Amino acid sequence: MNLADFDYHLPPERIAAEPARPRHAARLLHVRGDGLDDRTILDLPALLAPGDLLVVNDTRVIPAQLTGRRGDARIGITLDRPLADGTWRVLLRNARRARPGETIAIDGAGGIAAEVIDRAPDGSATLRFDCDAETFRAMLDRAASLALPPYIPRPAGISEQDRQDYQTMFAAEEGAVAAPTAGLHFTETVLAALAARGVGLATVTLHVGAGTFLPVREDQLERHKLHAERGLIGPETAALVNATRARGGRIVAVGTTSLRVLETAAAEDGTLAPWHGETELFITPGYRFRLVDRLMTNFHLPKSTLLMLVAAFAGVERMRAAYAHAIARGYRFYSYGDASLLERA
């Protein structure tokens, strides 16, 4: 398939600039094998069965947007992920004058600067900050802001409300640049109802990187390469997943991030072992899912890798119909928008 196969028109007014309040007031489109049902997040427990296992991403978003200066040039820096040697992979904007070997002064960082180690044609680079890890983390709280997606306009800057809104209730392990947005819909009310229904809960970690903001530029999908993202599955989660599957329960991934880390770590027979590392798994139609039975996810951008993933999971034509339905019925799209619950094709 080609990139154009995953395009659609979304009226701008359908893009959510704020989340639903309370969070569980968001709508939920249930995409079944034989139809579509308009629901709300509070209906999620009734759509699952006792013995199912919900798997959520417990990554915590860090302030990842910095401003640097090289001479008179103002350079945007979005952190992506730390590397083993202590450097950081980042995305740069307006950085034509930042060449390997040169330094970028960081605004508001009390004299901290970053050396450019290398540059790549896609706008990514490797930087070495001239401070230790503890000083660096404190500097982020002082000098960095959340890297909200570009379709959420904040002309006056990121607010304290956004700093609360853009974390899930599961956020524990620091490292994400962007929120795992399907998890934003959960509240204690929803969790209590799921527990009463007999639905289990497990966590994985996938630190969403800055690559999530990059468009797909290749018309032929097989030429596109995802940026690596760091993840972890602990022994307790692996045991819960395996026990759930052994007794006939379904694995319900909350968000494409949870799905990708589960599918990365799953064995051919669908069993799961503890895992940590990086994943570049790019899921497109034709992929054979090993582990995940249901997917709860938000509505994704045209021509995005996440739209390709949901089409692979639920079927291309079914997802085209679902998105057309959601647009016609006034669903809210993208990070702060409504959600869908997808049955696997």
Side-chain angles (χ1 to χ4, degrees):
M1 303 189 75
N2 295 320
L3 184 59
D5 295 319
F6 299 93
D7 197 10
Y8 69 91
H9 173 68
L10 182 71
E13 62 271 19
R14 294 284 182 265
I15 301 173
E18 304 281 349
R21 303 193 195 282
R23 295 186 183 205
H24 58 235
R27 298 171 72 184
L28 179 70
L29 179 61
H30 184 200
V31 182
R32 299 179 286 103
D34 57 353
L36 304 168
D37 291 330
D38 297 307
R39 302 285 197 129
T40 72
I41 298 298
L42 288 175
D43 293 320
L44 178 63
L47 299 176
L48 303 180
D52 286 349
L53 182 68
L54 209 67
V55 182
V56 302
N57 186 357
D58 68 358
T59 188
R60 185 172 186 83
V61 180
I62 62 172
Q65 188 66 59
L66 293 162
T67 299
R69 297 190 184 274
R70 172 68 185 163
D72 295 331
R74 188 170 182 268
I75 298 170
I77 302 168
T78 305
L79 301 177
D80 181 21
R81 67 190 192 280
L83 303 180
D85 62 359
T87 60
W88 274 82
R89 201 66 185 166
V90 304
L91 297 183
L92 298 179
R93 296 184 309 283
N94 191 33
R96 286 172 294 179
R97 295 178 60 181
R99 300 179 180 87
E102 297 179 338
T103 58
I104 301 172
I106 308 301
D107 282 1
I112 293 174
E115 178 188 359
V116 181
I117 305 301
D118 63 43
R119 296 283 306 278
D122 64 358
S124 64
T126 303
L127 301 183
R128 186 183 303 280
F129 292 86
D130 59 357
C131 59
D132 60 30
E134 184 177 349
T135 304
F136 177 78
R137 185 62 188 86
M139 180 272 290
L140 292 185
D141 286 333
R142 184 171 66 252
S145 63
L146 287 179
L148 281 182
Y151 49 77
I152 299 178
R154 291 295 184 267
I158 304 299
S159 68
E160 179 57 37
Q161 187 65 57
D162 276 315
R163 282 185 276 273
Q164 297 176 34
D165 288 341
Y166 205 56
Q167 296 282 12
T168 73
M169 67 177 298
F170 311 109
E173 303 297 329
E174 280 202 339
V177 173
T181 54
L184 295 177
H185 300 293
F186 286 81
T187 62
E188 293 293 349
T189 299
V190 177
L191 289 190
L194 287 163
R197 177 71 168 161
V199 176
L201 182 69
T203 61
V204 295
T205 304
L206 187 70
H207 295 308
V208 188
T212 194
F213 299 126
L214 294 176
V216 178
R217 294 190 171 92
E218 298 286 352
D219 288 332
Q220 295 180 309
L221 302 187
E222 61 270 19
R223 292 183 176 180
H224 181 70
K225 182 178 176 61
L226 288 186
H227 283 227
E229 293 175 319
R230 299 170 294 132
L232 181 144
I233 298 174
E236 183 177 352
T237 291
L240 282 169
V241 167
N242 291 333
T244 299
R245 297 185 78 250
R247 63 173 179 262
R250 298 173 300 186
I251 305 303
V252 184
V254 176
T256 57
T257 58
S258 297
L259 181 146
R260 287 181 62 241
V261 72
L262 288 169
E263 290 292 325
T264 295
E268 283 290 334
D269 64 357
T271 57
L272 192 64
W275 175 88
H276 70 90
E278 292 188 340
T279 179
E280 299 173 313
L281 181 62
F282 180 24
I283 296 177
T284 58
Y287 175 84
R288 183 180 67 82
F289 289 88
R290 301 174 180 179
L291 185 57
V292 177
D293 302 297
R294 298 288 185 272
L295 172 62
M296 179 180 169
T297 186
N298 284 20
F299 293 95
H300 303 293
L301 275 71
K303 298 184 178 180
S304 65
T305 60
L306 301 183
L307 185 57
M308 298 168 198
L309 184 155
V310 298
F313 188 83
V316 174
E317 293 306 320
R318 196 192 299 176
M319 290 313 301
R320 283 178 179 153
Y323 272 56
H325 175 95
I327 293 169
R329 295 295 179 94
Y331 278 71
R332 302 162 71 246
F333 275 57
Y334 306 162
S335 293
Y336 278 156
D338 296 316
S340 60
L341 179 66
L342 311 182
E343 298 184 4
R344 195 171 78 188

